[in-house]
Amino acid sequence: EIVLTQSPATLSLSPGERATLSCRASQGVSSNLAWYQQKPGQAPRLLIYDASNRATGIPARFSGSGSGTDFTLTISSLEPEDLAVYYCQQRSTWPRMYTFGQGTKLEIK
Amino acid sequence: EVQLVESGGGLVQPGGSLRLSCVVSGFTFSSFWMSWVRQAPGKGLEWVANIRQDGSEKYYVDSVKGRFTISRDNAKDSLYLHMNGLRAEDTALYYCARDVIVLPPGLDYWGQGTLVTVSS
């Protein structure tokens, strides 16, 4: 079973700052990694798929990188509405199953 | 507009059963895999199960195998989660989500969830 470990657990930054969120897999997952954003009281939203591709409608300030076991979600210039918990997720090809990381809470000062 | 609407949650005693439903609109339901994902109060996301377009493949997280069954009715644009032998640790908000294989691979549309509480 692949385990995803996200760090830090909580990140507190000011508007305009750069946020860097990490996700480490216990074994290689190639580029089969996605990032989701969950704002308070809302369902999650797909941000990044295949490690580095933005989903439809996602602002360009969100970017993803990495492959294998180490992945990063970067928010280049924080906006107040970026307050959320961010989850990484890996998918296995067969059986077709998913695993989420424990999440990183992003606080906006 | 794509919509997914869950229902069927509620309060149930340990060992009890519940059936969750998810009705979708705005896309061709029969063309997509579908998933259930849950979130315990104040906790993170946990993928629960998914089902292929025709129902021929189903996969589950280990913690629910043998207790939960995912199914679908393509004629009714509906997804179900039959939950038996419920435990306190199954208490969560249950989301249904569209499960896409390509472009983009992932869970691209989600409902707002239905709350299941297991307690005596």
Side-chain angles (χ1 to χ4, degrees):
Chain A
E1 178 190 347
I2 296 174
V3 176
L4 298 178
T5 302
Q6 293 186 240
S7 61
T10 304
L11 190 57
S12 185
L13 295 168
S14 298
E17 289 193 297
R18 181 185 189 91
T20 303
L21 288 67
S22 175
C23 176
R24 176 163 289 179
S26 59
Q27 56 186 279
V29 298
S30 185
S31 296
N32 298 330
L33 190 107
W35 291 92
Y36 294 80
Q37 176 194 61
Q38 187 177 33
K39 295 182 178 181
Q42 296 186 17
R45 177 174 71 151
L46 178 65
L47 288 180
I48 301 288
Y49 65 92
D50 285 349
S52 61
N53 298 284
R54 278 189 302 276
T56 302
I58 302 303
R61 65 180 184 275
F62 291 92
S63 64
S65 63
S67 66
T69 60
D70 290 295
F71 299 88
T72 300
L73 173 68
T74 302
I75 310 173
S76 60
S77 179
L78 282 170
E79 301 279 349
E81 62 263 28
D82 297 334
L83 165 73
V85 179
Y86 292 83
Y87 296 93
C88 59
Q89 176 213 51
Q90 71 88 22
R91 72 179 189 279
S92 63
T93 304
W94 190 90
R96 184 175 172 73
M97 301 174 67
Y98 295 101
T99 304
F100 286 95
Q102 82 279 17
T104 289
K105 183 177 183 179
L106 178 59
E107 298 177 341
I108 309 297
K109 293 179 185 176
Chain B
E1 180 191 6
V2 172
Q3 286 192 319
L4 297 86
V5 180
E6 303 94 336
S7 62
L11 175 63
V12 61
Q13 292 188 338
S17 299
L18 213 53
R19 188 186 82 158
L20 306 184
S21 300
C22 170
V23 179
V24 314
S25 59
F27 66 95
T28 304
F29 178 69
S30 60
S31 296
F32 291 89
W33 283 72
M34 295 294 295
S35 274
W36 287 98
V37 177
R38 66 184 179 183
Q39 186 169 36
K43 302 298 184 182
L45 302 172
E46 180 182 39
W47 174 83
V48 174
N50 63 0
I51 184 169
R52 188 182 172 130
Q53 293 93 324
D54 60 0
S56 61
E57 290 183 57
K58 305 175 185 181
Y59 301 108
Y60 301 90
V61 68
D62 285 348
S63 59
V64 308
K65 282 181 182 176
R67 299 189 300 124
F68 290 12
T69 301
I70 189 172
S71 65
R72 64 192 296 161
D73 185 336
N74 288 339
K76 296 183 178 179
D77 291 338
S78 294
L79 175 73
Y80 305 103
L81 187 66
H82 307 258
M83 304 185 295
N84 297 321
L86 283 162
R87 306 166 180 167
E89 55 264 36
D90 296 317
T91 293
L93 186 64
Y94 284 74
Y95 295 100
C96 67
R98 192 172 79 168
D99 186 342
V100 183
I101 295 178
V102 293
L103 297 176
L107 306 177
D108 67 342
Y109 285 97
W110 298 62
Q112 287 304 305
T114 187
L115 182 62
V116 172
T117 303
V118 184
S119 174
S120 55

